[in-house]
Amino acid sequence: MAIHIQMAIRKNRLFVRLKGELDQAVTEKLKVRISELIDKYEIKYLIFNFEKVNFMDSSGIGLIIGRYNLIKLLDSKLTILNPSEPIKRIIELSSLGRNITLRCS
């Protein structure tokens, strides 16, 4: 299954909504695009909406870790909204949950 990606910028916030499978096939381009937008628009809040992500492999974790490290250097914040239970578990097991904000509805 392919992934559908929507991005929006409001003030200094970058919203990234993903739907489908987050795997190596899409993470490289997504990493570059998000980094470009963070630099260009001086993003202070990076918000991923994982509500409709049904699969994430290690490259997805790498995407989150890499963007977290970039955001941290800019004294900014990263939030993940509505992860499914399996995705939430992956995030918690990878110790990312200690460094980022997880918000579940």
Side-chain angles (χ1 to χ4, degrees):
M1 177 181 193
I3 192 157
H4 179 66
I5 303 165
Q6 291 178 306
M7 290 192 223
I9 297 170
R10 293 186 194 107
K11 297 189 180 184
N12 57 358
R13 291 172 170 80
L14 173 58
F15 296 88
V16 180
R17 179 176 296 212
L18 305 166
K19 179 181 179 183
E21 299 179 356
L22 186 57
D23 58 21
Q24 190 172 6
V26 296
T27 54
E28 280 305 311
K29 289 179 184 175
L30 192 54
K31 280 192 250 186
V32 171
R33 184 66 182 139
I34 290 171
S35 295
E36 290 171 349
L37 292 172
I38 288 169
D39 289 340
K40 183 175 181 179
Y41 294 98
E42 299 178 6
I43 298 299
K44 290 293 180 190
Y45 300 94
L46 174 57
I47 300 129
F48 284 102
N49 188 327
F50 274 39
E51 183 174 17
K52 297 192 178 186
V53 174
N54 52 29
F55 173 81
M56 179 170 67
D57 66 10
S58 60
S59 65
I61 293 292
L63 169 75
I64 296 168
I65 291 170
R67 292 332 85 206
Y68 168 75
N69 289 333
L70 175 60
I71 284 289
K72 185 174 74 170
L73 290 174
L74 302 170
D75 197 29
S76 300
K77 306 278 186 224
L78 189 145
T79 300
I80 295 179
L81 301 175
N82 305 316
S84 64
E85 282 303 315
I87 302 298
K88 184 177 175 185
R89 182 106 171 107
I90 290 169
I91 291 167
E92 290 169 348
L93 288 173
S94 68
S95 300
L96 279 172
R98 292 180 299 178
N99 300 316
I100 62 174
T101 302
L102 280 176
R103 292 211 175 120
C104 304
S105 57

